Amino acid sequence: GYRLAAGVARGAGARAAALALRGGRTAAPGRPCAGPARRLCTAPGTAPDMKRYLWERYREAKRSTEELVPSIMSNLLNPDAIFSNNEMSLSDIEIYGFDYDYTLVFYSKHLHTLIFNAARDLLINEHRYPVEIRKYEYDPSFAIRGLHYDVHRAVLMKIDAFHYIQLGTVYRGLSVVPDEEVIDMYEGSHVPLEQMSDFYGKSSHGNTMKQFMDIFSLPEMTLLSCVNEYFLKNNIDYEPVHLYKDVKDSIRDVHIKGIMYRAIEADIEKYICYAEQTRAVLAKLADHGKKMFLITNSPSSFVDKGMSYIVGKDWRDLFDVVIVQAEKPNFFNDKRRPFRKMNEKGVLLWDKIHKLQKGQIYKQGNLYEFLKLTGWRGSKVLYFGDHIYSDLADLTLKHGWRTGAIIPELRSELKIMNTEQYIQTMTWLQTLTGLLEQMQVHRDADSQLVLQEWKKERKEMREMTKNFFNAQFGSLFRTDQNPTYFLRRLSRFADIYMASLSCLLNYDVSHTFYPRRTPLQHELPAWSDMPSTFGAPRLQEAQAE
């Protein structure tokens, strides 16, 4: 679905380039005149004017692009749609499972500031970091999810699906690392497999990279960058590995020591966004006889207060099973940990669990015991979560559950992609790329000068498209031309993805999601370039309804 959104402009750009080049291939300079008078011809024996010829093709492509933009603007994608990586029918789903944080409940911008400030103060008070780092404040516009951090070199970067670093997105502290230095550092721009993060995005077993996939990791990346910046600016010698561990531990302690939980419970209206229609989604599923369960790493009292606020005090009546402090992803792999029942006061009971009862809250446990006690197996189960590794990967790879990823950033990115400025820029960028591909056969000096100007313009436009989303790192889903490593993992581990659970309200409970067939590089693209793109979740259709 997301690839289709970008592909609308991409396909239109290809068509514009084809229109401009249609005459160019049969009437290159120095050949007999044929066809429309607009084609450049030269008399026999006359040296061809390649500059004039190429710039004429350029202007024709520009005109064709401008003519195509209105048709693209009439086919905008709906930010509240659900997008499919794998065909899936909701009529086959009998049981719905949910994570809690950033799935059932969404948090306001204040939460990341709270986490950043609390972890920064822990660095100062418990890890003896310079008190001067307190001057750094959380910047919500700095980082995006899915970035990789080189623990030994202390650099943050965006990597594509093929392990290539996107040059211009490598940051040491708060400053971009020059491309030449990056290429020097990594002997190119490719990161070998053995240096990449492990299966869960962690830096372990010799892996030097850590991938930040959690929405809660945004303040962690920013804090790492700020402390790095302070040490670099003040010429303080430090060990990057120790800094990474100390920041990671401080962020962890904000959760484990209850700092974040207590703050949210004390001012729930400040930190929790009520706008997401969580109760409406759960009620719709319950009305259609669907079973539901909750598996979260958050503690019981915290979940109870949050769910009481957004759903109502009777929220537990909607769920057949509730499991807290599950310690995902260990929950999905460790067979040794039994469930423990909690009473109304949160006290852990010692009796053996023979059945998971509705209305009760259970702690820890493991998925194998869960499957044994419930019998909920295979593709009749659909589980939603925001963390692609901890929530979804094991379920789809090992247990055959269907999976849905909640990607809050999707809504804002699609809104940007629906703007006329973005569509104009992307359409022309793809057209210009097509011109470069076709005209590179002209190797004379004059042609090469023109092509160099086009390459310069293309590079500037790529930077512009990156800045539409995030000035430092660009889109969560795409590097210059390739999918990001984040999107690669999303495509592998999520059957469907959406901005929030409220998107389910736009679909019938028997709806079938079909992935768009996008052409492979060796396939004829013409059929996929049709502006109508049958079945795509269009914004105009949603507004009309």
Side-chain angles (χ1 to χ4, degrees):
Y2 183 88
R3 290 172 62 193
L4 172 66
V8 171
R10 210 162 48 242
R15 292 197 299 278
L19 285 169
L21 292 166
R22 196 167 288 155
R25 287 193 295 270
T26 58
R31 296 188 181 182
C33 292
R38 63 177 178 82
R39 296 179 184 169
L40 178 64
C41 305
T42 60
T46 306
D49 186 348
M50 289 305 300
K51 281 188 178 180
R52 181 182 169 192
Y53 168 74
L54 291 174
W55 283 114
E56 187 175 324
R57 299 284 82 77
Y58 176 96
R59 287 188 291 271
E60 288 170 353
K62 194 88 166 177
R63 283 194 298 270
S64 299
T65 299
E66 290 168 357
E67 291 168 2
L68 284 168
V69 167
S71 68
I72 302 172
M73 289 296 297
S74 65
N75 287 278
L76 303 179
L77 285 172
N78 182 5
D80 294 316
I82 294 176
F83 301 95
S84 174
N85 291 319
N86 192 17
E87 185 173 327
M88 185 186 75
S89 177
L90 293 181
S91 61
D92 297 329
I93 305 301
E94 300 174 11
I95 304 126
Y96 286 77
F98 305 91
D99 181 32
Y100 176 68
D101 297 300
Y102 287 107
T103 300
L104 290 172
V105 63
F106 280 72
Y107 297 103
S108 71
K109 60 183 180 181
H110 302 293
L111 181 59
H112 286 176
T113 301
L114 166 72
I115 295 171
F116 179 92
N117 291 344
R120 180 198 60 200
D121 292 345
L122 285 171
L123 280 178
I124 295 169
N125 298 330
E126 297 192 8
H127 297 273
R128 300 182 178 276
Y129 276 68
V131 71
E132 287 81 8
I133 67 171
R134 192 170 274 127
K135 70 179 181 181
Y136 291 100
E137 296 182 350
Y138 179 64
D139 179 4
S141 66
F142 177 68
I144 62 172
R145 258 203 302 171
L147 299 179
H148 281 79
Y149 183 76
D150 190 322
V151 174
H152 293 276
R153 295 185 174 100
V155 288
L156 188 66
M157 69 192 76
K158 188 163 77 167
I159 295 178
D160 74 10
F162 304 97
H163 296 194
Y164 281 92
I165 300 165
Q166 182 179 358
L167 297 176
T169 69
V170 182
Y171 276 74
R172 181 182 289 114
L174 301 175
S175 303
V176 67
V177 181
D179 294 349
E180 300 78 14
E181 188 177 340
V182 175
I183 291 169
D184 232 20
M185 201 185 306
Y186 292 96
E187 298 180 354
S189 60
H190 183 262
V191 180
L193 178 63
E194 62 269 15
Q195 292 182 27
M196 290 291 286
S197 52
D198 69 9
F199 181 79
Y200 295 107
K202 298 177 181 179
S203 58
S204 59
H205 308 296
N207 305 98
T208 60
M209 293 282 190
K210 152 76 178 178
Q211 189 181 18
F212 291 101
M213 298 294 277
D214 191 352
I215 299 176
F216 283 127
S217 66
L218 291 169
E220 182 176 357
M221 285 185 274
T222 307
L223 184 57
L224 264 172
S225 299
C226 287
V227 181
N228 271 313
E229 180 76 4
Y230 175 79
F231 286 151
L232 292 167
K233 292 293 184 185
N234 291 277
N235 296 315
I236 297 174
D237 191 26
Y238 70 104
E239 173 52 63
V241 175
H242 298 333
L243 170 60
Y244 167 73
K245 184 180 183 304
D246 291 344
V247 170
K248 182 181 72 171
D249 290 348
S250 296
I251 292 287
R252 180 203 62 198
D253 286 347
V254 172
H255 293 262
I256 289 179
K257 293 184 176 181
I259 298 171
M260 182 188 81
Y261 300 131
R262 288 193 297 272
I264 293 174
E265 290 180 32
D267 198 348
I268 206 161
E269 292 184 2
K270 177 180 178 180
Y271 292 107
I272 291 183
C273 296
Y274 187 70
E276 295 302 328
Q277 298 170 290
T278 300
R279 184 176 180 89
V281 172
L282 298 176
K284 178 181 177 179
L285 297 175
D287 289 344
H288 285 83
K290 305 298 181 181
K291 294 185 181 296
M292 288 179 282
F293 64 93
L294 169 63
I295 302 177
T296 176
N297 289 348
S298 293
S300 175
S301 63
F302 176 72
V303 173
D304 181 60
K305 289 189 177 179
M307 290 296 287
S308 297
Y309 176 68
I310 62 172
V311 176
K313 292 189 179 298
D314 61 341
W315 69 271
R316 272 194 272 172
D317 295 339
L318 294 168
F319 290 90
D320 294 270
V321 178
V322 176
I323 300 166
V324 299
Q325 292 177 278
E327 296 183 22
K328 295 177 292 181
N330 291 336
F331 179 87
F332 301 127
N333 297 292
D334 190 345
K335 299 180 181 181
R336 297 169 297 177
R337 301 182 313 154
F339 286 105
R340 294 197 72 172
K341 188 189 293 185
M342 302 179 72
N343 67 17
E344 291 297 325
K345 295 182 179 180
V347 176
L348 291 171
L349 306 180
W350 47 260
D351 48 328
K352 186 175 179 63
I353 306 300
H354 296 282
K355 182 181 180 182
L356 297 176
Q357 298 174 321
K358 187 170 184 175
Q360 296 293 326
I361 293 181
Y362 299 90
K363 180 182 176 182
Q364 294 181 349
N366 66 83
L367 185 64
Y368 299 91
E369 189 71 12
F370 177 88
L371 297 175
K372 179 181 175 182
L373 295 173
T374 63
W376 296 345
R377 298 176 182 275
S379 57
K380 66 181 180 181
V381 184
L382 171 58
Y383 186 80
F384 291 96
D386 67 290
H387 198 301
I388 296 170
Y389 296 148
S390 296
D391 288 326
L392 309 180
D394 289 309
L395 292 177
T396 187
L397 291 176
K398 300 178 181 179
H399 303 287
W401 285 10
R402 309 312 294 266
T403 51
I406 304 300
I407 313 292
E409 302 93 334
L410 182 63
R411 183 176 283 124
S412 59
E413 290 219 6
L414 283 173
K415 287 180 178 178
I416 291 169
M417 293 168 65
N418 281 342
T419 62
E420 186 171 359
Q421 185 183 9
Y422 177 85
I423 289 171
Q424 286 176 338
T425 303
M426 278 303 301
T427 306
W428 175 236
L429 175 59
Q430 296 306 316
T431 303
L432 187 60
T433 302
L435 280 171
L436 279 165
E437 183 179 12
Q438 294 289 336
M439 294 304 184
Q440 64 183 321
V441 296
H442 301 297
R443 299 296 180 183
D444 58 280
D446 284 348
S447 296
Q448 288 301 307
L449 284 173
V450 174
L451 294 177
Q452 286 304 315
E453 286 191 52
W454 293 0
K455 288 178 181 178
K456 181 182 177 183
E457 181 182 0
R458 181 172 180 260
K459 183 178 180 181
E460 291 170 353
M461 291 181 68
R462 280 182 158 186
E463 184 66 21
M464 188 188 306
T465 57
K466 184 190 82 172
N467 291 340
F468 278 125
F469 301 101
N470 176 281
Q472 291 74 233
F473 303 101
S475 167
L476 173 64
F477 303 97
R478 183 172 289 282
T479 58
D480 286 327
Q481 70 279 346
N482 293 328
T484 58
Y485 195 81
F486 177 92
L487 183 62
R488 172 183 171 181
R489 308 303 268 177
L490 172 65
S491 301
R492 178 65 185 88
F493 300 136
D495 291 296
I496 57 175
Y497 62 102
M498 66 208 76
S500 71
L501 280 178
S502 62
C503 298
L504 282 169
L505 296 173
N506 301 324
Y507 299 85
D508 187 82
V509 291
S510 60
H511 185 88
T512 298
F513 295 100
Y514 297 97
R516 305 278 75 77
R517 182 183 171 94
T518 52
L520 303 175
Q521 294 297 313
H522 64 274
E523 291 180 325
L524 185 67
W527 58 266
S528 69
D529 290 340
M530 296 299 292
S532 59
T533 316
F534 300 107
R538 297 299 179 185
L539 179 60
Q540 285 80 358
E541 295 169 6
Q543 290 173 337
E545 291 175 4

